[in-house]
């Protein structure tokens, strides 16, 4: 049985503990009292799973103009050029901040920067700084240690945000103005619901990869922030652009293990079971083409030939080189009996990154006063119709710092008295099997109908099933006490609905959205923006 926990209040409440949330927390904590909630442990988010690295202009052979051009090319006409320039031009400063925090990037004393830079698909030059092949983990561990020990940051682990508390929900909204005052949060370990007030609230919950059956994302990636922002009244944009990573390890026991883009960047070749290459027949850039092209090519070859997977082969490189550059991939594959120094790696595409999200401005501000969104949860305009490899952690850093500057500059506000969470009219759930069945059904039909290649008929089938799930879940939510599984399922169904709505509105094939019914590119590139009708 859930009980009410004492009310809490912070200057800033951050929901999510990935790189965006941690960057923001550390930049705010010098002058603000910060509450940071995460539904698992601090290191459970998707940022820690990032292998390749962080793209930034760090060497003399590179320039902001080249990085911008590469980003715009990958984005297929939908990147916001001003935002892209802002992110790229602030990239080296963001990397320097991480170095100052103590992140152990891989060194190369022979390089002008002192660090080893790798190259990934879509990049014209080597610009990806990394910590071996576990960059996200190195960054997250470094920042997590600082967050845990900072006196101005209170960390609440195993706490799941239920919904935002808005002036509209409180009946206090002014005409044409809605503001956020905090959130209701379930302490899943104690079974208590916190009422948390905040002068500013930040959604930094990551993406929604778990809406698909096969994904490189951790179990936490259930679209929570996007769904909560949408329910609160925020606009959401470009949710049809779901990036499928071309190379996820194909093995029955290898749950969601990503084979980094950098393996192809360092010379890895994609092959069919007979050992022949196929990428040159799909794109002149071959293995170094942007992710959407590589993922579609693999999907095409698998379906055409009835294959379970294709193979990524880098065994022609020296064994010492591979063990040095890809120690985690090497050891993980070895656990499954695959020696990458001698054998090709079986791979399949998998849902990887949500390019759309809550519409924000330059500083992370959303449509609601006092509500921000940063990281994968947000749609800043940087990624367009397809994210360039290793631009995601860069976006987390730059907008985490930008949001901090804006929040610090806000005038002082008195806290609003908030009502406690009301569960007087609900009971304990009688059959929780409904949740697991609905979760499984959702992920399977999203994979089948709203995957790498789409048709209008498939989207309509998915939409019909989503409507049925909505009805079941809303009834369940209204009648039973909340659980973390129910909250995640509710958010996943809302997010799936946004993906399908957006996909049905785009009558062309652009970037990550490929439709057999609309294979051509429209002459004008437009964002798909959804506005909730209450």
């Amino acid at each position: 049985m859930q009980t009410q926990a004492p009310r809490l209040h912070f200057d800033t409440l951050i929901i999510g503990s990935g790189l965006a949330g941690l960057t923001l927390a550390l930049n705010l904590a010098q002058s603000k009292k910060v509450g940071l909630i995460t539904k698992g442990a601090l290191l459970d988010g998707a940022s820690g799973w990032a292998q390749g690295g962080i793209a930034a202009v760090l060497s003399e052979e590179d320039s902001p103009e080249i990085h911008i051009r590469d980003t715009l090319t990958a984005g297929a006409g939908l990147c916001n050029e001003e935002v892209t320039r802002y992110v790229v031009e602030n990239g080296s400063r963001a990397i320097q901040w991480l170095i100052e925090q103590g992140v152990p990037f891989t060194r190369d004393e022979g390089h002008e920067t002192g660090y080893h830079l790798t190259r990934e698909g879509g990049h014209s030059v080597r610009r990806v700084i990394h910590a071996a092949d576990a960059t996200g983990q190195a960054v997250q561990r470094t920042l997590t240690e600082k967050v845990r020990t900072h006196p101005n940051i209170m960390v609440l682990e195993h706490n799941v945000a239920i919904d935002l508390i808005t002036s509209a929900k409180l009946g206090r909204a002014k005409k044409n103005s809605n503001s956020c005052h905090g959130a209701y949060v379930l302490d899943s370990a104690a079974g208590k619901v916190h009422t948390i007030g905040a002068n500013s609230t930040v959604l930094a919950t990551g993406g929604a990869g778990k809406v698909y059956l096969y994904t490189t994302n951790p179990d936490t990636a259930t679209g929570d922030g996007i769904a909560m922002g949408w329910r609160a009244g925020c606009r959401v944009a470009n949710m049809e652009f779901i990036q499928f990573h071309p190379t996820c390890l194909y093995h029955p026991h290898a749950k969601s293990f990503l084979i980094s883009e950098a393996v192809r960047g360092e010379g890895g070749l994609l092959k069919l079971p007979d050992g022949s290459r196929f990428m040159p027949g799909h794109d002149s850039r071959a293995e170094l083409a942007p992710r959407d092209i590589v993922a579609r090519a693999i999907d095409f070859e698998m379906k055409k030939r009835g294959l379970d997977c294709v193979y990524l082969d880098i065994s022609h490189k020296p064994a010492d080189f591979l063990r040095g550059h890809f120690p985690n991939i090497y050891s993980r594959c070895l656990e499954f009996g695959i020696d990458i120094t001698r054998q090709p790696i079986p791979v399949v595409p998998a849902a990887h990154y949500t390019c759309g999200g809550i519409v924000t401005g330059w500083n992370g501000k959303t449509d609601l006063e006092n509500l921000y969104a940063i990281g994968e949860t947000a749609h800043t305009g940087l990624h367009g119709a397809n994210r360039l490899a290793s631009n995601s952690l860069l976006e987390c850093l730059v907008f985490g710092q930008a949001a901090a500057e804006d929040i610090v500059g806000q005038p002082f506000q008195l806290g609003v008295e908030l009502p406690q969470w009301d569960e007087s009219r609900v009971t304990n759930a009688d059959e929780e099997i409904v949740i697991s069945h609905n979760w499984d059904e959702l992920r399977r039909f999203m994979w089948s109908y709203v995957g790498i290649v789409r048709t209008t008929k498939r989207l309509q089938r998915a939409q019909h099933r989503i409507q049925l799930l909505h009805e079941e879940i809303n009834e369940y939510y209204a009648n039973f006490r909340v659980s973390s599984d129910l909250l995640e399922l509710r958010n996943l169904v809302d997010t799936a609905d946004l993906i399908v709505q957006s996909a049905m509105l785009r009558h062309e094939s652009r970037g990550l959205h490929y439709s057999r019914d609309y294979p051509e590119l429209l002459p004008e590139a437009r964002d798909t923006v959804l506005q909730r009708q209450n």
Side-chain angles (χ1 to χ4, degrees), residues 51 131-134 137 257 323 325-333:
Q51 294 178 352
D133 61 347
Q137 189 178 81
F257 187 71
R323 284 191 286 263
H325 278 73
F326 306 112
N328 290 283
I329 293 174
Y330 171 76
S331 60
R332 184 71 167 149
C333 286

Side-chain angles (χ1 to χ4, degrees), residues 175-191:
K175 188 177 181 181
N176 300 323
S177 175
N178 192 9
S179 56
C180 182
H181 301 289
Y184 290 116
V185 176
L186 172 65
D187 181 338
S188 55

Side-chain angles (χ1 to χ4, degrees), residues 331-411:
S331 60
R332 184 71 167 149
C333 286
L334 209 56
E335 289 176 21
F336 300 113
I338 304 163
D339 183 350
I340 69 170
T341 67
R342 297 187 301 155
Q343 299 167 270
I345 307 165
V347 293
V348 291
H352 183 59
Y353 192 85
T354 309
C355 286
I358 297 170
V359 175
T360 67
W362 288 81
N363 40 27
K365 280 187 170 180
T366 71
D367 296 329
L368 273 65
E369 291 181 26
N370 308 322
L371 179 66
Y372 297 74
I374 54 176
E376 195 173 351
T377 304
H379 172 265
T380 63
L382 172 65
H383 304 308
N386 183 18
R387 176 178 69 90
L388 182 66
S390 291
N391 268 357
S392 54
L393 295 185
L394 177 67
E395 182 186 43
C396 289
L397 287 165
V398 171
F399 280 96
Q401 293 175 339
E405 291 173 11
D406 191 82
I407 291 169
V408 168
Q410 294 298 314

Side-chain angles (χ1 to χ4, degrees), residues 49 214-217 244-251 254-260 264 270 298 308-310 312 345-352 447:
W49 289 38
Y214 300 110
T215 176
T216 64
N217 291 181
F244 288 81
H245 197 287
T247 53
C248 187
L249 178 62
Y250 178 73
H251 189 281
K255 184 180 179 182
S256 307
F257 187 71
L258 175 70
I259 304 299
S260 169
R264 284 181 285 127
L270 284 163
I298 294 173
D308 291 327
C309 64
V310 296
L312 180 58
I345 307 165
V347 293
V348 291
H352 183 59
W447 182 261

Side-chain angles (χ1 to χ4, degrees), residues 10 47 69 167 210 262 281 303 319 349 352 415 430 445 466 479 510:
F10 301 101
S47 294
R69 184 188 67 206
S167 55
K210 293 299 283 189
K303 287 176 177 171
H352 183 59
D430 53 0
F445 74 64
I466 287 170
N479 290 292
R510 183 182 297 273

Side-chain angles (χ1 to χ4, degrees), residues 121-122 246-247 261 264 267-272 274-302 305 310-313 347 349:
T247 53
E261 192 99 8
R264 284 181 285 127
L269 302 174
L270 284 163
K271 296 180 178 180
L272 296 170
D274 65 3
S276 62
R277 291 177 67 192
F278 59 87
M279 276 310 302
H282 289 269
D283 191 279
S284 60
R285 293 164 288 187
E287 280 79 6
L288 290 178
R291 287 175 174 174
D292 60 322
I293 294 170
V294 179
R296 271 201 302 276
I298 294 173
D299 184 70
F300 174 85
E301 296 292 343
M302 286 172 60
R305 304 171 192 276
V310 296
Y311 295 87
L312 180 58
D313 190 1
V347 293

Side-chain angles (χ1 to χ4, degrees), residues 40-87:
L42 269 182
L43 287 170
D44 285 350
S47 294
W49 289 38
Q51 294 178 352
I54 308 172
V57 178
L58 301 170
S59 68
E60 291 182 1
E61 70 167 338
D62 201 2
S63 72
E65 297 306 322
I66 299 173
H67 191 176
I68 290 166
R69 184 188 67 206
D70 289 346
T71 302
L72 298 181
T73 299
L78 272 182
C79 298
N80 181 310
E81 292 192 33
E82 291 183 17
V83 169
T84 302
R85 179 171 295 280
Y86 173 76
V87 173

